Short mmCIF file of all heavy atoms in Angstrom, two decimals:
data_model
loop_
_atom_site.label_atom_id
_atom_site.label_comp_id
_atom_site.label_asym_id
_atom_site.label_seq_id
_atom_site.Cartn_x
_atom_site.Cartn_y
_atom_site.Cartn_z
N ASN A 206 -1.03 76.98 17.29
CA ASN A 206 -1.47 78.37 17.28
C ASN A 206 -1.02 79.10 16.02
O ASN A 206 -1.72 79.99 15.54
CB ASN A 206 -0.95 79.08 18.54
CG ASN A 206 -1.73 78.69 19.78
OD1 ASN A 206 -2.87 79.07 19.95
ND2 ASN A 206 -1.10 77.91 20.65
N GLU A 249 26.64 76.31 16.09
CA GLU A 249 27.34 76.19 17.36
C GLU A 249 26.51 76.71 18.52
O GLU A 249 26.51 76.14 19.60
CB GLU A 249 28.66 76.97 17.30
CG GLU A 249 29.71 76.35 16.40
CD GLU A 249 30.99 77.17 16.40
OE1 GLU A 249 31.05 78.17 17.14
OE2 GLU A 249 31.92 76.81 15.65
N LYS A 250 25.82 77.82 18.30
CA LYS A 250 25.12 78.48 19.39
C LYS A 250 23.70 77.96 19.62
O LYS A 250 23.20 78.01 20.75
CB LYS A 250 25.06 79.99 19.14
CG LYS A 250 26.42 80.66 19.08
CD LYS A 250 27.14 80.58 20.42
CE LYS A 250 28.47 81.30 20.36
NZ LYS A 250 29.19 81.23 21.66
N THR A 314 22.08 53.25 51.45
CA THR A 314 22.98 52.16 51.07
C THR A 314 22.28 50.82 51.04
O THR A 314 22.40 50.04 50.09
CB THR A 314 24.18 52.09 52.05
OG1 THR A 314 24.84 53.36 52.08
CG2 THR A 314 25.15 51.00 51.61
N ILE A 351 25.00 69.74 56.76
CA ILE A 351 25.67 71.04 56.83
C ILE A 351 27.13 70.89 56.48
O ILE A 351 27.70 71.71 55.74
CB ILE A 351 25.50 71.63 58.24
CG1 ILE A 351 24.03 72.04 58.47
CG2 ILE A 351 26.42 72.83 58.45
CD1 ILE A 351 23.71 72.44 59.89
N ILE A 415 17.59 62.50 51.41
CA ILE A 415 17.22 63.41 52.50
C ILE A 415 15.93 62.94 53.16
O ILE A 415 15.00 62.49 52.47
CB ILE A 415 17.04 64.85 51.98
CG1 ILE A 415 18.39 65.43 51.54
CG2 ILE A 415 16.41 65.75 53.04
CD1 ILE A 415 18.29 66.81 50.92
N ASP A 459 0.09 123.21 30.02
CA ASP A 459 -1.35 122.97 30.01
C ASP A 459 -1.83 122.59 28.62
O ASP A 459 -2.73 121.74 28.46
CB ASP A 459 -2.09 124.23 30.49
CG ASP A 459 -1.87 124.51 31.97
OD1 ASP A 459 -1.44 123.58 32.68
OD2 ASP A 459 -2.12 125.65 32.40
N MET A 520 1.11 99.44 40.80
CA MET A 520 0.90 100.50 39.82
C MET A 520 0.67 101.84 40.52
O MET A 520 0.45 101.89 41.73
CB MET A 520 -0.31 100.15 38.93
CG MET A 520 -0.24 98.76 38.29
SD MET A 520 1.16 98.54 37.16
CE MET A 520 0.53 99.38 35.71
N ASP A 530 -11.87 99.83 42.48
CA ASP A 530 -13.15 100.40 42.91
C ASP A 530 -14.22 99.31 42.88
O ASP A 530 -14.41 98.63 41.86
CB ASP A 530 -13.53 101.56 41.98
CG ASP A 530 -14.73 102.34 42.48
OD1 ASP A 530 -15.72 101.71 42.89
OD2 ASP A 530 -14.69 103.58 42.42
N LYS A 599 26.51 71.10 23.68
CA LYS A 599 25.29 71.68 23.11
C LYS A 599 24.25 71.97 24.18
O LYS A 599 23.58 72.98 24.15
CB LYS A 599 24.68 70.73 22.07
CG LYS A 599 25.44 70.65 20.76
CD LYS A 599 25.29 71.93 19.99
CE LYS A 599 25.98 71.79 18.63
NZ LYS A 599 26.23 73.09 18.03
N HIS A 607 13.45 78.88 28.02
CA HIS A 607 12.14 79.42 27.61
C HIS A 607 11.21 79.52 28.80
O HIS A 607 11.10 78.61 29.57
CB HIS A 607 11.50 78.51 26.57
CG HIS A 607 12.24 78.50 25.28
ND1 HIS A 607 12.63 79.63 24.64
CD2 HIS A 607 12.66 77.48 24.53
CE1 HIS A 607 13.24 79.32 23.53
NE2 HIS A 607 13.28 78.02 23.44
#
Side-chain angles (χ1 to χ4, degrees):
N206 285 289
E249 290 180 3
K250 298 296 182 180
T314 304
I351 291 171
I415 292 175
D459 290 342
M520 308 298 281
D530 188 315
K599 287 290 184 198
H607 293 311

